[in-house]
Amino acid sequence: MSKEIKVIYFTDNGEKLANELLGVKGFSFEWEKDNSLKEEYVFSLWEKDQSLIDCCRDCFAQGLPMVFIGAAGIAVRTIAPFLKDKLKDPPVVVMDDKGLNVISLVSGHYGGGNKLAVYLAEELKANPVITTATDINGAFSVDVFAKERHLDIINRDGIAKVSTKALSGKPITLSIKDYPPKNPVDVVVENQVKNDGTINLKGEVASIVNEGIVAGIGCKKGKTSEEILELLQNSLAKIGKDISQLSAIATIDIKEKEEGLKEISKLYSIPLISFDKDVLSKVEGSISTSDFVKDTVGVDNVCERAALAAVGKEGGLLLEKQAMNGVTVALACNERTNTIYVVGMGPGEEGKMTLEARWVLNKVDVIVGYTVYLELLKEKYGHKEMLSTPMKQEVDRCRMCFEEAAKGKSVAMVCSGDAGIYGMASIMYEISQEYPGSWDIDIVPGITAATSGSSILGAPLNHDFCVISLSDLLTPWETIEKRLRAAAEGDFAIALYNPSSKKRKDYLQRACDILMEKISPETCCGYVRNIGREGTETKICTLKELRAEEVDMFTTVFIGNTQTKIINNKLVTPRGYRI
Ligand code: SAH
C-alpha cells in the first residue's frame, strides 16, 4: 500500500495546485537503491471537515509528509506544537499558491523533505528552496549517510559537529555500534568517513550496511575499473542481480586508493568501504583462505572477509570468492525476512550441494536438522547455531524452526538429498498452520539419492521410473506392496529408498519377491551405500542376487526395467535410440 502525502491548501489557486499534485503519481525516496524497497507515496487532500490542527496531529503521529500550499508562516505556526525531533518528524514542504517556490521546511535531510521539495519543483517547474548547508555545499551529510544504511543516530548532538567538519573539509570520525539495535553489542568502531564518501573502518567489526548487497573486492595493484567490473558484473549475474542493487563495495584499507575501485564507486555512486587487516582477520565464517594473499596483504582473504565485515554478524555470503585476472569478488548481504528455508543439502559431499543451498546456509543464523546431517555440515558451517532433535522427532524439529524464527532469527531446516522427496518440505507446510503469521516457506531443492546414486551406478533411471520407499513407518505395508506391483506391471525402472533398517531387515527381500512375481529374476539391479559420504559402496547384480543382499538405511537400491543392461560394469537403461 502506498503512503500518503497530505496536501493542505487555503485559496482557490491553492486548490488548483493541489489538484495538479493529485495527478502526480507518486514519490519514491531515491536512496532506496533496490526498487523493491522504494517507498511509494500518493498525494491526498486535507479533508476540510477535519480541523487543520487535527489533520496535522495525525500526520505527525503517522509520520506522513505534508505539503502546505500557502504562507510559510501558517505552516510554521500549525506544525510548531508537534515538532519533536529532526530524526523522527515527517518532512514538511511549503509552496506558494502560484507554485513558484517549493520550500523544504523541516526534516529536509533525514526525513526526505529536500528530495520531496526538489521532486515537486521539477514536476511544477518551480524553484526548489533548500537551506540545509550540507546539501547546498555538496558536503557529506551524516543523517543521510545513516538513513541510507538504515542506522539509527544515537548521539544527535554530533550531527551538527559532523556537518561543521564536513563543510570545512575536515576528516570525520563516526562511531557505529553494532546494528540492528535488537541485538546490542558494545563494540564501537572508529570510522574515518572522508568527504568523498570513502569510509575506513578501524577497530572492532560492526555492521554498517544493513540492506542490499555488498561486494567484497580484492585486486592486484593497478587493475582498471573495466577489469574489476567484468568480474563484478559476472558475479552479480550469477545470483541474478545487477550493479544497481549494490549497496557498497568493501575492500582492505591498502586497496582503498586503487583507481579502478574508486572509479567504480564514483561511476555507480556506490560507497567504497575499507577495513584494516585486523578487522578483516576477526571476521567469522566459512572463508576460503590463501597463504599467498596472507603473505601479500597480511590477511588470508580480502573479498569474502571484507564483504562479511560490511554486512556484519547477521549477514552471510551470497556468492563465495570468484577470481579472474588478478581480481577477486565475493558478495554478501544482510537480509531479514520472514522466510523459513527447507534446504535439500544433497547426498553429503560439498560438490553436490547447490549454490542456492550454500547461499542460504551461509546467511541463516540457525541450522536445524537431524544430527547426522548437521555433522556433515559442521566443517563449513560449524560457527552457526545448530539445533537438533533425535531421530523420529521430525514434527518437533519443524516446530523448533518456527520457534527460533519467532525469536527473530533466520532459520534453515536441512534435509539430505532433496527437501521435497521424503524430506521435510511437506511437513513444514503442515506445521506452519499451527503458527499463524506471515511465514514464507522457501523450499531449496537438492540432488536426491535417486539421481546421485544412479550417476554412480551408470544410468539406471534413464527412462520412465518410479521412486518407492520401503519404510512402513508412515505408509501401510499393503500400500507399498501395491505400488511395487504397479511399478513392475508398468515396466518402470525403480529406485527404492529406505530399503532396510534394524527393525525391518527383510524388507528388501520381501520387495524382491513381490517384483519377481512379474519381472525376471535376471533383471539388472544395483545399489549404492553412503552416496557422497565416506565409505561409498556399490554393487551391480541381478534381482535374484539382490534378494540375498543385506543393505542398510544409508543405501538406495535400483531395479532396472526389461531393457536395462550392463555396459562396462555400469547399469544402463537405454532410452531407445537406434545406434
Ligand atoms: N530426502 C532424501 C531422502 C530421505 S529418505 C533424498 O532426497 O535423497 C532416506 C533414504 O534416502 C535412505 O534410507 C536411503 O535410501 C536414501 N539416501 C539418502 N541419502 C543417501 C546417501 N547419501 N546414500 C545412499 N542413500 C541415501
Side-chain angles (χ1 to χ4, degrees):
M1 224 185 70
S2 32
K3 294 187 184 170
E4 286 179 1
I5 300 175
K6 256 309 170 226
V7 183
I8 316 283
Y9 64 92
F10 308 99
T11 60
D12 289 348
N13 265 351
E15 187 173 1
K16 251 196 248 155
L17 204 54
N19 280 310
E20 219 175 294
L21 288 183
L22 289 190
V24 175
K25 231 181 83 226
F27 163 73
S28 308
F29 284 117
E30 261 178 19
W31 51 59
E32 301 289 13
K33 287 206 174 105
D34 174 351
N35 284 335
S36 64
L37 296 174
K38 273 190 181 172
E39 293 196 75
E40 290 289 333
Y41 286 82
V42 291
F43 292 96
S44 80
L45 295 187
W46 164 39
E47 283 162 22
K48 297 215 171 166
D49 50 1
Q50 190 186 27
S51 75
L52 178 56
I53 207 82
D54 284 348
C55 170
C56 196
R57 183 181 294 112
D58 285 355
C59 287
F60 270 73
Q62 294 171 45
L64 301 180
M66 300 180 78
V67 176
F68 278 79
I69 306 179
I74 301 180
V76 171
R77 282 176 221 288
T78 315
I79 64 173
F82 306 112
L83 290 172
K84 277 201 205 91
D85 180 342
K86 70 183 251 171
L87 300 181
K88 295 205 177 103
D89 292 339
V92 178
V93 167
V94 183
M95 60 172 88
D96 60 276
D97 78 356
K98 278 198 163 167
L100 299 176
N101 291 299
V102 184
I103 311 169
S104 169
L105 197 61
V106 296
S107 297
H109 256 149
Y110 200 76
N114 291 353
K115 290 207 164 135
L116 179 56
V118 168
Y119 173 79
L120 289 174
E122 274 172 11
E123 288 292 327
L124 301 170
K125 312 256 174 315
N127 180 41
V129 181
I130 308 294
T131 55
T132 37
T134 46
D135 260 287
I136 292 302
N137 293 288
F140 172 78
S141 153
V142 69
D143 37 5
V144 172
F145 170 87
K147 176 100 182 173
E148 284 177 349
R149 288 161 186 78
H150 302 265
L151 297 166
D152 283 337
I153 296 183
I154 303 164
N155 171 18
R156 265 169 305 153
D157 300 342
I159 299 175
K161 287 187 199 151
V162 170
S163 298
T164 310
K165 276 192 182 172
L167 287 166
S168 55
K170 290 188 186 142
I172 298 149
T173 305
L174 300 180
S175 293
I176 301 179
K177 284 201 178 199
D178 206 340
Y179 189 85
K182 153 188 127 350
N183 185 20
V185 182
D186 259 347
V187 276
V188 176
V189 188
E190 292 295 303
N191 308 274
Q192 282 278 327
V193 181
K194 293 168 194 156
N195 249 349
D196 60 3
T198 57
I199 304 162
N200 176 260
L201 295 196
K202 296 200 189 311
E204 293 295 318
V205 179
S207 154
I208 65 156
V209 180
N210 289 294
E211 300 235 345
I213 300 167
V214 174
I217 304 184
C219 62
K220 287 198 176 141
K221 212 169 165 187
K223 286 284 152 190
T224 62
S225 56
E226 289 81 15
E227 285 173 301
I228 300 170
L229 266 178
E230 191 181 352
L231 181 63
L232 179 59
Q233 280 165 334
N234 283 346
S235 306
L236 285 161
K238 278 194 181 156
I239 60 163
K241 305 281 181 190
D242 67 60
I243 202 154
S244 69
Q245 288 159 298
L246 265 194
S247 291
I249 292 171
T251 188
I252 187 167
D253 54 1
I254 54 171
K255 294 288 172 189
E256 71 182 359
K257 299 244 159 51
E258 282 293 329
E259 283 307 320
L261 288 176
K262 278 167 63 180
E263 264 174 52
I264 296 173
S265 163
K266 207 160 161 202
L267 195 62
Y268 293 95
S269 307
I270 306 168
L272 178 62
I273 306 170
S274 65
F275 300 89
D276 69 26
K277 66 176 186 343
D278 298 332
V279 173
L280 291 183
S281 41
K282 282 187 195 143
V283 170
E284 289 173 1
S286 48
I287 285 161
S288 60
T289 58
S290 147
D291 290 341
F292 173 75
V293 176
K294 176 135 198 180
D295 290 345
T296 323
V297 298
V299 58
D300 56 14
N301 174 304
V302 170
C303 62
E304 291 180 353
R305 287 187 182 279
L308 285 170
V311 294
K313 292 196 189 82
E314 306 268 323
L317 285 179
L318 290 172
L319 186 69
E320 293 152 10
K321 175 173 159 180
Q322 310 286 304
M324 196 171 79
N325 296 332
V327 181
T328 60
V329 169
L331 302 173
C333 84
N334 181 354
E335 217 179 60
R336 315 231 105 242
T337 65
N338 282 340
T339 305
I340 296 177
Y341 296 93
V342 190
V343 179
M345 53 180 260
E349 80 193 83
E350 211 194 317
K352 291 200 168 60
M353 193 188 287
T354 67
L355 206 50
E356 188 188 8
R358 281 194 263 169
W359 299 338
V360 170
L361 295 184
N362 268 321
K363 78 178 176 190
V364 293
D365 302 317
V366 186
I367 303 177
V368 179
Y370 174 44
T371 34
V372 174
Y373 307 149
L374 294 185
E375 232 11 83
L376 291 168
L377 294 173
K378 275 237 165 88
E379 194 185 328
K380 229 165 177 237
Y381 305 96
H383 57 289
K384 303 260 172 181
E385 192 177 346
M386 292 195 163
L387 296 174
S388 188
T389 58
M391 177 117 169
K392 296 192 189 153
Q393 296 197 359
E394 288 83 0
V395 178
D396 289 347
R397 224 176 292 148
C398 286
R399 294 205 175 103
M400 196 180 238
C401 290
F402 287 96
E403 275 147 28
E404 289 302 306
K407 293 180 196 162
K409 299 180 190 174
S410 54
V411 183
M413 156 80 84
V414 288
C415 314
S416 77
D418 183 84
I421 299 181
Y422 309 117
M424 305 296 279
S426 50
I427 184 177
M428 206 62 133
Y429 280 112
E430 289 170 317
I431 294 287
S432 72
Q433 294 174 304
E434 289 177 16
Y435 294 87
S438 53
W439 299 113
D440 282 333
I441 295 177
D442 195 345
I443 311 295
V444 180
I447 301 183
T448 187
T451 48
S452 55
S454 70
S455 70
I456 294 174
L457 288 180
L461 304 182
N462 213 347
H463 207 288
D464 299 339
F465 70 96
C466 284
V467 173
I468 300 175
S469 164
L470 295 191
S471 167
D472 61 353
L473 280 177
L474 304 169
T475 312
W477 179 251
E478 298 71 50
T479 307
I480 297 171
E481 281 195 2
K482 197 165 90 186
R483 289 177 184 165
L484 286 167
R485 288 199 174 92
E489 180 67 35
D491 193 21
F492 284 96
I494 308 170
L496 292 178
Y497 282 54
N498 297 301
S500 171
S501 77
K502 283 189 190 116
K503 284 199 187 138
R504 304 179 281 114
K505 279 218 164 309
D506 63 336
Y507 279 32
L508 179 61
Q509 219 177 33
R510 283 157 67 177
C512 291
D513 286 340
I514 291 164
L515 294 172
M516 279 191 284
E517 290 167 9
K518 181 78 195 169
I519 63 182
S520 157
E522 299 307 317
T523 302
C524 298
C525 296
Y527 63 78
V528 192
R529 182 168 178 270
N530 281 336
I531 304 162
R533 300 178 193 167
E534 241 181 73
T536 307
E537 284 170 32
T538 63
K539 172 103 188 177
I540 291 182
C541 55
T542 63
L543 181 55
K544 191 173 61 201
E545 287 160 352
L546 181 67
R547 188 188 178 281
E549 288 288 325
E550 266 201 21
V551 295
D552 65 11
M553 60 184 287
F554 300 110
T555 308
T556 303
V557 173
F558 296 82
I559 319 275
N561 68 11
T562 47
Q563 308 305 310
T564 305
K565 52 190 168 187
I566 291 164
I567 303 177
N568 287 341
N569 287 329
K570 294 287 181 186
L571 195 58
V572 179
T573 302
R575 277 197 68 190
Y577 291 113
R578 278 170 198 272
I579 302 168

